[in-house]
Amino acid sequence: MVAQPEVSAWRSRVPGVVEVFHAHFTEYAYPMHVHEAWTLLIVDDGAVRYDLDRHEHGTPHDTVSLLPPHVPHNGSPVTAHGFRKRVVYLDGTHLGEDLIGSAVDGPDLRDPVLRLRVGQLHTALGHPGDELEAESRLTLIAERLRTHLRPSTPAATPRDSPTLARTLRELLDEHLTQGIGLDEAARLVHVHPTHLVRAFSGAYGIAPHQYLMSRRVERARRLLLEGRPPGEVASSTGFYDQSHLTRHFKKFVGVTPGRYARSRPA
């Protein structure tokens, strides 16, 4: 019996992300086609063989593949078991058309750090409410991709990092409930988002999204101990819903919000 394809696709509110696409194919082969967007691809199981610009390429398990826009390519499974892949399609926000030639020459990148970060990006993209984390991870991924495609270009050094970090912390504190996008924060302080993430992480030893979630959890703890129900606490502290609160609360506190609330002395 032929296994049926498994497909999951959705739009994201993260700037620069056109589509997120997860799929498991056993027999399906893509014909030659093009995308308007950059295709950032990882294969979790199996392997894909594809042609790009009349050259054959492949995607072993430890590879990150970056297929440029407007360049025809196809794709087919290498083994009878097919392949399981995760793809994020990116517009030109992070990767310019000047990088297309380099991507055509070397689309398959063997970079364990990049591979790990792309996987983390997909996890964040799969959880509504974690857009700041996804934005932060994407800006670092894009920086690493640009380094691969333009290896001779040195990375820019954040200017006045302590001031940038303090300013972002203040912005996160001011927007604790409603949140603030990384791009918006970067525009307010007039720096590139990548510089802002690096400055903050370097100054405080924690990523901006981790700081924001820890502050929200801190506020949630106080409200839970006041007797407020978890659903109400989630909406009043900036979480997408109660399950979003539960996931992060357990990560930072070790127990669910409900169990934490029940621990109060009678």
Side-chain angles (χ1 to χ4, degrees):
M1 179 181 295
V2 178
Q4 293 298 312
E6 301 172 16
V7 170
S8 177
W10 67 95
R11 297 294 301 272
S12 171
R13 294 187 294 177
V14 174
V17 176
V18 177
E19 179 187 335
V20 186
F21 182 71
H22 295 179
H24 178 206
F25 293 123
T26 54
E27 294 189 341
Y28 176 69
Y30 288 95
M32 294 300 292
H33 63 287
V34 299
H35 296 288
E36 288 189 85
W38 290 85
T39 302
L40 184 61
L41 163 72
I42 57 175
V43 175
D44 296 310
D45 187 36
V48 180
R49 174 212 166 277
Y50 68 94
D51 298 301
L52 178 75
D53 194 39
R54 298 181 296 278
H55 290 85
E56 183 176 331
H57 299 276
T59 59
H61 182 70
D62 59 348
T63 300
V64 175
S65 295
L66 180 67
L67 310 185
H70 316 305
V71 181
H73 60 276
N74 56 13
S76 59
V78 173
T79 70
H81 300 292
F83 58 89
R84 188 180 300 274
K85 68 175 182 177
R86 288 180 286 172
V87 184
V88 58
Y89 296 98
L90 304 172
D91 64 19
T93 301
H94 296 284
L95 301 171
E97 291 193 355
D98 59 308
L99 301 176
I100 289 178
S102 297
V104 169
D105 293 339
D108 300 317
L109 308 172
R110 291 180 177 271
D111 182 338
V113 173
L114 179 61
R115 167 79 193 204
L116 174 64
R117 289 180 177 175
V118 173
Q120 292 170 329
L121 171 64
H122 277 278
T123 300
L125 289 170
H127 292 123
D130 286 354
E131 285 79 15
L132 179 61
E133 176 180 353
E135 285 187 70
S136 299
R137 295 198 182 282
L138 178 56
T139 193
L140 295 178
I141 287 169
E143 178 189 50
R144 200 168 184 92
L145 289 171
R146 290 191 297 269
T147 299
H148 276 288
L149 299 176
R150 280 199 303 250
S152 61
T153 302
T157 302
R159 61 170 176 79
D160 200 7
S161 293
T163 299
L164 290 177
R166 185 170 59 253
T167 301
L168 179 55
R169 186 183 66 182
E170 292 170 353
L171 285 171
L172 292 173
D173 289 340
E174 291 170 7
H175 298 81
L176 192 60
T177 302
Q178 68 271 38
I180 184 170
L182 182 61
D183 284 351
E184 181 183 354
R187 283 194 296 270
L188 290 173
V189 297
H190 309 294
V191 297
H192 193 278
T194 306
H195 295 176
L196 199 52
V197 172
R198 291 201 178 281
F200 190 94
S201 300
Y204 299 117
I206 187 173
H209 68 271
Q210 293 173 315
Y211 174 83
L212 178 66
M213 289 302 173
S214 65
R215 287 295 320 280
R216 286 176 173 174
V217 167
E218 179 185 39
R219 180 173 292 183
R221 292 174 71 157
R222 294 199 301 267
L223 296 178
L224 288 166
L225 292 181
E226 292 174 5
R228 305 267 289 275
E232 181 183 324
V233 170
S235 62
S236 62
T237 52
F239 289 95
Y240 183 80
D241 55 19
Q242 186 172 334
S243 64
H244 188 216
L245 165 66
T246 298
R247 184 162 54 85
H248 285 283
F249 195 94
K250 190 172 182 180
K251 182 187 300 183
F252 283 102
V253 184
V255 296
T256 65
R259 184 173 178 183
Y260 181 83
R262 291 192 297 271
S263 70
R264 293 180 301 150

